[in-house]
Amino acid sequence: SYEVTQPPSVSVSPGQTASITCSGDKLRDKNVCWYQQKPGQSPVLVIYQDIRRPTGIPERFSGSKSGNTATLTISGTQAMDEADYHCQAWDTDIVLFGGGTKLTVL
Amino acid sequence: QLQLQESGPGLVKPWETLSLTCTVAAGPIISTNYFWAWIRQPPGKGLEWIGSIYHSGGTYYSPSLKSRATMSVDTSNNQFSLKVTSVTAADTAVYYCARHFWPRQSTCYFDYWGQGNLVTVSS
């Protein structure tokens, strides 16, 4: 079955750049989305169609893709960005989520 | 701003049926290219897509739950529902309803989410 994979955790210092990856065999041909989820809250869409940012999402959030790996980049990371981040794609008639990455801002 | 609200019991006994309803407010459930989805999250774990339903009643389900999950839509009341049969402790999770943009050509994403409903399976 098709899967997408994320690292369980990423750490970053305040003001630095955080990069979270999402990998999958067919990802080069799929659109990837990213969601931010803070403790006790519902997920929030931060990137869709690989690179697009919904209205209201800060410019420090950006998306990119190279081959079968998509990357969520947070520039000038702030303490408020500490959260779980989930990537999502779809294949045929199935929607897939990665396992989620916990971003810690040290 | 579109709002979604889950409702249903917080406790279900093993081998019984879990039933949840999502009420959509401040927007129509009949929208081109928009499905309505259920997603769950076991405690401390990642998100799992359960399935999506179109306003016409067409459905797509996760293979892992397809045999036990059934979704339905009530356009007159702007609601959609989920039933999962023969539940076990592994079905304990926060269940979210969400609006699902899925034109089925390229992109798909969930842009509005409910607040979530914790369902615990226990005797």
Side-chain angles (χ1 to χ4, degrees):
Chain A
S1 62
Y2 185 58
E3 293 180 350
V4 290
T5 305
Q6 300 178 236
S9 61
V10 168
S11 297
V12 64
S13 299
Q16 299 304 302
T17 297
S19 296
I20 300 172
T21 58
C22 177
S23 302
D25 283 347
K26 307 177 193 178
L27 226 51
R28 71 175 67 244
D29 300 321
K30 308 295 180 187
N31 286 149
V32 176
C33 308
W34 292 92
Y35 302 86
Q36 176 193 66
Q37 185 180 28
K38 296 182 179 180
Q41 297 183 19
S42 304
V44 173
L45 179 69
V46 294
I47 294 289
Y48 68 100
Q49 260 181 278
D50 298 336
I51 61 171
R52 300 189 185 279
R53 203 171 43 247
T55 304
I57 300 302
E59 291 184 7
R60 64 180 181 274
F61 288 88
S62 64
S64 62
K65 192 166 65 177
S66 177
N68 287 325
T69 299
T71 302
L72 173 69
T73 301
I74 309 172
S75 304
T77 307
Q78 301 180 11
M80 69 170 64
D81 300 328
E82 185 164 286
D84 292 330
Y85 290 86
H86 308 270
C87 68
Q88 175 248 305
W90 73 281
D91 181 53
T92 315
D93 296 332
I94 300 169
V95 176
L96 301 148
F97 286 98
T101 298
K102 181 175 180 58
L103 177 67
T104 301
V105 183
L106 298 170
Chain B
Q1 170 127 339
L2 195 74
Q3 295 180 344
L4 292 86
Q5 177 68 59
E6 305 90 350
S7 59
L11 182 65
V12 181
K13 289 182 168 53
W15 306 113
E16 294 191 346
T17 297
L18 177 162
S19 296
L20 294 169
T21 296
C22 182
T23 301
V24 180
I29 204 167
I30 298 176
S31 296
T32 302
N33 290 329
Y34 284 99
F35 284 70
W36 303 92
W38 289 98
I39 296 156
R40 70 181 183 179
Q41 185 172 35
K45 296 190 178 181
L47 300 170
E48 179 185 18
W49 174 71
I50 298 171
S52 296
I53 188 166
Y54 203 55
H55 57 78
S56 61
T59 52
Y60 294 92
Y61 293 105
S62 166
S64 64
L65 277 159
K66 188 172 185 177
S67 62
R68 297 193 295 126
T70 303
M71 296 177 63
S72 59
V73 62
D74 179 355
T75 55
S76 60
N77 288 309
N78 244 33
Q79 295 178 326
F80 62 104
S81 299
L82 170 71
K83 291 186 187 300
V84 180
T85 60
S86 304
V87 297
T88 68
D91 294 306
T92 293
V94 175
Y95 285 75
Y96 295 100
C97 60
R99 190 175 77 162
H100 183 188
F101 180 69
W102 199 10
R104 300 189 55 72
Q105 290 140 9
S106 57
T107 193
C108 94
Y109 53 79
F110 303 95
D111 56 355
Y112 288 93
W113 296 64
Q115 65 185 28
N117 185 328
L118 174 62
V119 178
T120 301
V121 178
S122 175
S123 55

